[in-house]
Amino acid sequence: MNLDPAESRHRFATERVARLATVDASGAPHLVPVTFAVDGDSVYIAIDSKPKRSADLKRLRNIAENPNVALLADVYDDDWSQLWWARADGTASVITADAGADWLTPLGLLQERYPQYVADVPRGPMIRVSVTRWSGWTFTDDVKLLA
């Protein structure tokens, strides 16, 4: 059954990880797992200090070329009656640590969700997704949420 936008946003926000889909100028997709925080119709994703091949990240280059993105959070269970997914479609922008409150507020939200960000504060940049559409699906409306 399809989820309404409010329930889709709620389920999305309860998950610990999502997948961020971006595309480059030629339309080639790129998909990465991300940690995130939801604030209304905004989703924030920090670029943290976990080891990466390069600081020149494909997701950031793609957003510069094409800001349309999608995020997907989902739950899989061998009991298929517990399956669900929630999706956030929107427009991404990149913010930097010199953005003042536009940086500090989402950083605080991320630190509330992930204690690792308190011990190892992300220095940036950060992705802000302005969600234009929340959608989702569930096998049944009797799914047990962890939140």
Side-chain angles (χ1 to χ4, degrees):
M1 40 189 321
N2 290 330
L3 298 172
D4 67 39
E7 180 65 13
S8 296
R9 178 177 42 214
H10 172 72
R11 288 179 187 236
F12 184 96
T14 66
E15 283 306 299
R16 302 293 292 160
V17 67
R19 287 98 190 136
L20 171 66
T22 62
V23 294
D24 65 20
S26 70
H30 181 69
L31 188 67
V32 293
V34 295
T35 55
F36 64 92
V38 175
D39 185 20
D41 285 329
S42 294
V43 178
Y44 295 96
I45 302 160
I47 305 300
D48 54 41
S49 61
K50 289 190 303 290
K52 295 166 180 56
R53 288 186 194 175
S54 164
D56 183 26
L57 298 177
K58 177 73 171 160
R59 68 195 90 161
L60 297 175
R61 293 194 314 270
N62 284 356
I63 289 167
E65 294 174 0
N66 181 344
N68 297 310
V69 301
L71 288 150
L72 181 73
D74 66 299
V75 167
Y76 176 83
D77 194 291
D78 286 337
D79 173 0
W80 284 9
S81 69
Q82 298 301 302
L83 301 178
W84 65 265
W85 58 263
R87 183 170 145 178
D89 297 313
T91 304
S93 57
V94 177
I95 55 178
T96 58
D98 61 1
D102 289 339
W103 173 266
L104 294 174
T105 299
L107 176 61
L109 294 171
L110 286 159
Q111 288 175 323
E112 286 176 22
R113 284 180 54 89
Y114 306 100
Q116 300 89 332
Y117 288 158
V118 174
D120 188 8
V121 178
R123 306 271 180 242
M126 189 180 305
I127 298 168
R128 177 181 186 258
V129 178
S130 298
V131 179
T132 56
R133 180 174 181 254
W134 294 97
S135 59
W137 173 90
T138 183
F139 186 94
T140 177
D141 60 0
D142 190 32
V143 172
K144 300 165 195 74
L145 292 178
L146 298 176

